[in-house]
Amino acid sequence: MKKLLLLLSFASLLSCEPVVAQDTLAYRVHLLEVKQYNAGVDMIRFHDQFKGSLYMMAAGAALIGVGGIIHNNGGDGNIKAAHKFTFFGGVALLSGVVVNIDSFTFIRLAGIDLK
């Protein structure tokens, strides 16, 4: 029995994680660090998704512009191509707006993490 107790106490000294009581200051600081880290991850995800949505909206606006230029400068044969550019530009622009609105979810999650 003494050998088992000695072995268990020695094994606990070699463990990687220190044993911290849940009501100590160190434990509360650790919880705050974890919450802050999670909020930072959410903010990075927001930034990446927001930036991607801006690129998507810019590409959609550029396609709409190209479609307008083709429609104004082209003959009758280019009208179908102009409509296709305008249609796909509108779809890309609308998709970018939806992704942009959805990206603000990560700011809400960061606020919940820090609450």
Side-chain angles (χ1 to χ4, degrees), residues 23-104:
D23 59 343
T24 62
L25 181 62
Y27 180 73
R28 286 186 272 165
V29 168
H30 175 70
L31 284 180
L32 288 174
E33 287 174 347
V34 168
K35 287 181 179 182
Q36 185 178 5
Y37 174 77
N38 290 338
V41 168
D42 286 336
M43 294 302 289
I44 289 171
R45 290 172 64 190
F46 161 75
H47 178 262
D48 292 340
Q49 189 171 355
F50 185 79
K51 186 172 59 170
S53 71
L54 290 180
Y55 290 146
M56 189 181 295
M57 287 189 297
L63 285 175
I64 290 172
V66 167
I69 290 171
I70 290 173
H71 184 46
N72 288 338
N73 294 336
D76 292 333
N78 291 334
I79 290 178
K80 286 186 179 182
H83 287 290
K84 288 180 183 179
F85 272 103
T86 306
F87 174 75
F88 288 119
V91 169
L93 185 65
L94 185 62
S95 299
V97 169
V98 169
V99 171
N100 190 328
I101 292 170
D102 183 58
S103 68
F104 286 95

